[in-house]
Amino acid sequence: MSTHDSVTEPTRGLPDVSELVVGVLGGTGDQGRGLAYRLAKAGQQVVIGSRTAERAETAAAELGLGVRGADNATAARESDIVIVAVPWEGHAATLSGLREELAGKLVVDCVNPLGFDKQGAYAIRPEEGSAAQQAAALLPDSRVTAAFHHLSAVLLQDPAIEQIDTDVMVLGEDREATDTVQALAARIPGMRGIFAGRLRNAHQVESLVANLISVNRRYKAHAGLRITDV
């Protein structure tokens, strides 16, 4: 298999997601804002959600590219796919309050439960096992997946960078849902979505961000991941 074939293989047979509306809860934070920017730049319809509509509207206006801003509940209602990019500290409360609005939606959790002390970042293990599993427990009427954990917010928000060469590990229980998220990741130039297991395996994926933070600090980098031989 040629190098080119190897790189494109995971995108074959994935659905067309170009017409789906993507909501980003926590879209005024660095990670959410970066994802909103990249997806909108790729031609996706994007709605940024925040606790207040005004804050979301301000962030959306700054991004341009047709991005809209709304409060979290409105963003959830108006979207087909909802990316959860809120701080870990507010994860449970935010999702608990949006159970009705997120019913029937494809939810993509990219939250990393981390703590920080003098030794640096370390992983936190939620009672449910992971942030994604907590989301699934709180949103029984949604299709919950996990993805977009290992992306540098700095690179995502830098307009001078045209392509982000990294893989996105996608986890979930529903093949149609994970295929859709893989296709969404592939909309961003340089990215591939790679299926990486069921939600019970989300903890180690979320935790790996603590290692990447250590890599970045040592090498003054914005490290990502590539999965080889796929």
Side-chain angles (χ1 to χ4, degrees), residues 6 10 26 40 43 70 103 121 131 148 169 186 200 213 219:
S6 176
F148 299 117
M169 299 175 76
R200 69 179 185 180
I213 289 172
Y219 299 104

Side-chain angles (χ1 to χ4, degrees), residues 80-104:
D80 302 300
I81 303 175
V82 179
I83 297 173
V84 180
V86 300
W88 166 240
E89 294 75 18
H91 184 261
T94 299
L95 296 185
S96 295
L98 295 173
R99 176 172 170 171
E100 182 178 338
E101 289 83 358
L102 291 171

Side-chain angles (χ1 to χ4, degrees), residues 100-117:
E100 182 178 338
E101 289 83 358
L102 291 171
K105 306 289 185 177
L106 199 171
V107 174
V108 187
D109 200 298
C110 68
V111 175
N112 303 302
L114 298 176
F116 295 86
D117 59 20

